[in-house]
Amino acid sequence: MENVFVIDHPLVKRDLTLLRDRGTPSNLFRAILRRMASLMAYEVTRDLNVKEVGIKTPLEKTRGSVVAQPVILVPILRAGLGLVGGFVEVIPDARVGHIGLYRDEDTLRPVDYYFKVPKNLKNALVLILDPMLATGGSGSAAIAYLKDKGARNIRFVSLVAAPEGVETIVKTHPDVKIFTCSLDRGLNRRGYILPGLGDAGDRIFGTE
Ligand code: PRP
Ligand code: URA
């Protein structure tokens, strides 16, 4: 699928293995997730627009680059929060919006409870952050909301994606690029990704 990009850097694979491990405690889970987010940020922004500028080194004049495209990060609460720190570390100018969604346990449909995004989404690269892309209901709803607010260049960044969720996003939003560290096997009857890493929000915040 042309809009799906798997980030398979060896260091990302190593970290994902640690996150999948049920024995990894919350404090370590958070730290690894943050480190992975920085590694992912490099791949996701590889084609970011830059502008050439003139600078002076201590020795002579030369040319350099500055980022010429605003970046807006939009974590889906709660689990998306775990990726924000790592992205901000390498994109310090990024503005951050928030979308509050949780999945109804019975219907697996997303229930929205909070939206707050920066103005001027139109010319920005908008990166939706959510570790888990399962049925794709939450991701699809978040994308629709951001488009309604004017976003035109949206990427969906996940750690682990199920084929069902990828298909949903590709079908409903064919213009959106999906970045993930792993395309997993599928979903169980309760909508959890297999092999997955469990409930990402619970593991980040210690609420399991
Ligand atoms: C998880 C995850 C995604 C959603 C993915 O959130 O962080 O937002 O499920 O599932 P979907 O693709 O089937 O919509 P959850 O509803 O568990 O909320 P939480 O982050 O607050 O725990
Ligand atoms: N949400 C999670 O946190 N984990 C899954 O496996 C699916 C949805």
Side-chain angles (χ1 to χ4, degrees):
M1 273 181 278
E2 63 179 23
N3 265 357
V4 182
F5 302 88
V6 178
I7 304 170
D8 60 357
H9 192 287
L11 299 179
V12 167
K13 282 181 164 174
R14 171 204 62 193
D15 279 351
L16 182 57
T17 304
L18 293 167
L19 294 187
R20 287 194 196 276
D21 189 336
R22 65 188 295 171
T24 301
S26 269
N27 58 352
L28 202 54
F29 193 94
R30 277 187 214 136
I32 295 165
L33 189 56
R34 188 187 172 102
R35 178 169 71 203
M36 269 187 100
S38 288
L39 296 171
M40 292 165 76
Y42 285 104
E43 293 299 328
V44 174
T45 58
R46 187 172 276 283
D47 57 351
L48 202 58
N49 295 336
V50 291
K51 191 171 72 184
E52 228 187 66
V53 291
I55 55 159
K56 285 183 193 154
T57 75
L59 302 174
E60 62 178 18
K61 285 184 186 169
T62 187
R63 311 289 295 168
S65 299
V66 291
V67 173
Q69 190 179 14
V71 177
I72 296 179
L73 308 174
V74 185
I76 299 181
L77 307 178
R78 292 175 299 165
L81 290 175
L83 294 167
V84 175
F87 268 78
V88 166
E89 204 150 287
V90 291
I91 318 169
D93 293 337
R95 289 178 292 153
V96 184
H98 294 87
I99 293 184
L101 292 171
Y102 71 86
R103 278 198 321 181
D104 180 286
E105 281 184 13
D106 298 319
T107 64
L108 298 184
R109 293 301 305 155
V111 181
D112 57 276
Y113 59 92
Y114 187 75
F115 291 108
K116 182 86 180 174
V117 290
K119 291 195 174 65
N120 303 326
L121 294 179
K122 198 170 156 196
N123 298 316
L125 174 64
V126 178
L127 304 178
I128 300 177
L129 307 181
D130 191 333
M132 311 308 279
L133 175 55
T135 65
S138 306
S140 200
I143 294 167
Y145 170 77
L146 290 166
K147 283 185 176 173
D148 188 54
K149 292 285 169 197
R152 294 185 312 190
N153 187 1
I154 301 174
R155 294 182 178 182
F156 191 90
V157 183
S158 69
L159 274 189
V160 176
E164 294 88 332
V166 169
E167 198 182 321
T168 300
I169 304 256
V170 167
K171 268 197 189 141
T172 53
H173 301 287
D175 55 308
V176 172
K177 290 186 175 150
I178 301 169
F179 289 79
T180 186
C181 300
S182 174
L183 282 172
D184 274 16
R185 191 170 79 245
L187 299 175
N188 70 8
R189 279 192 308 192
R190 291 174 51 228
Y192 278 87
I193 300 173
L194 297 171
L197 48 79
D199 187 306
D202 283 348
R203 294 199 63 192
I204 294 167
F205 297 108
T207 48
E208 62 271 66

